[in-house]
Amino acid sequence: MEPYWVRIAKQRMRDLGVTQSDLLDVFNVTTRGAVGHYFSGRSAIDVDQLEALSKKLGVRIDYYESSDNRLALDDVERMLDSWLLKFAQADLVEYKTDITTLKKLMLSSLSD
């Protein structure tokens, strides 16, 4: 089974039309084959390379899948209920619409 970071990177590469040859600078190598060694596990990716790969592909790529860092929409909704009201009560923001409408808009953008 391929590492999590490889699955995410390959999918993003397909989406963007990026090839392993386009990643020579990320891994500081001179051949596509050398890049392939990272994707096959023959060479170990380091933190700097993973960060450079994330930047190159325009998406955060973690080494491991970490479901505990991801929130369900229900969790986000509860946080928004609390935060939006607290921001308004503290006079940190002034909403031009009601909080419920704002929350629905924010949640819909996350589920797209």
Side-chain angles (χ1 to χ4, degrees):
M1 184 173 165
E2 63 188 9
Y4 176 75
W5 76 265
V6 172
R7 288 194 320 265
I8 299 302
K10 282 182 176 179
Q11 179 59 53
R12 185 67 175 160
M13 289 167 65
R14 276 191 294 275
D15 293 346
L16 297 175
V18 172
T19 67
Q20 288 184 357
S21 295
D22 299 319
L23 302 176
L24 299 177
D25 58 325
V26 167
F27 296 98
N28 197 28
V29 295
T30 57
T31 66
R32 192 227 43 91
V35 172
H37 285 208
Y38 288 94
F39 281 83
S40 70
R42 290 182 67 190
S43 296
I45 192 170
D46 65 32
V47 173
D48 292 333
Q49 292 166 328
L50 196 57
E51 184 177 312
L53 182 61
S54 293
K55 286 180 183 175
K56 183 91 166 192
L57 298 179
V59 65
R60 179 183 169 155
I61 301 174
D62 294 319
Y63 187 80
Y64 296 108
E65 182 174 19
S66 53
S67 60
D68 52 318
N69 285 341
R70 307 196 195 299
L71 297 172
L73 281 178
D74 290 342
D75 296 328
V76 173
E77 185 171 3
R78 280 191 294 279
M79 289 187 320
L80 285 174
D81 282 336
S82 172
W83 293 350
L84 292 173
L85 184 60
K86 286 179 182 178
F87 288 159
Q89 289 172 339
D91 289 328
L92 294 173
V93 295
E94 184 178 321
Y95 303 119
K96 293 187 178 195
T97 186
D98 63 281
I99 290 175
T100 303
T101 303
L102 184 59
K103 183 180 78 171
K104 285 179 183 177
L105 178 64
M106 294 171 90
L107 288 172
S108 71
S109 71
L110 291 173
S111 62
D112 289 344

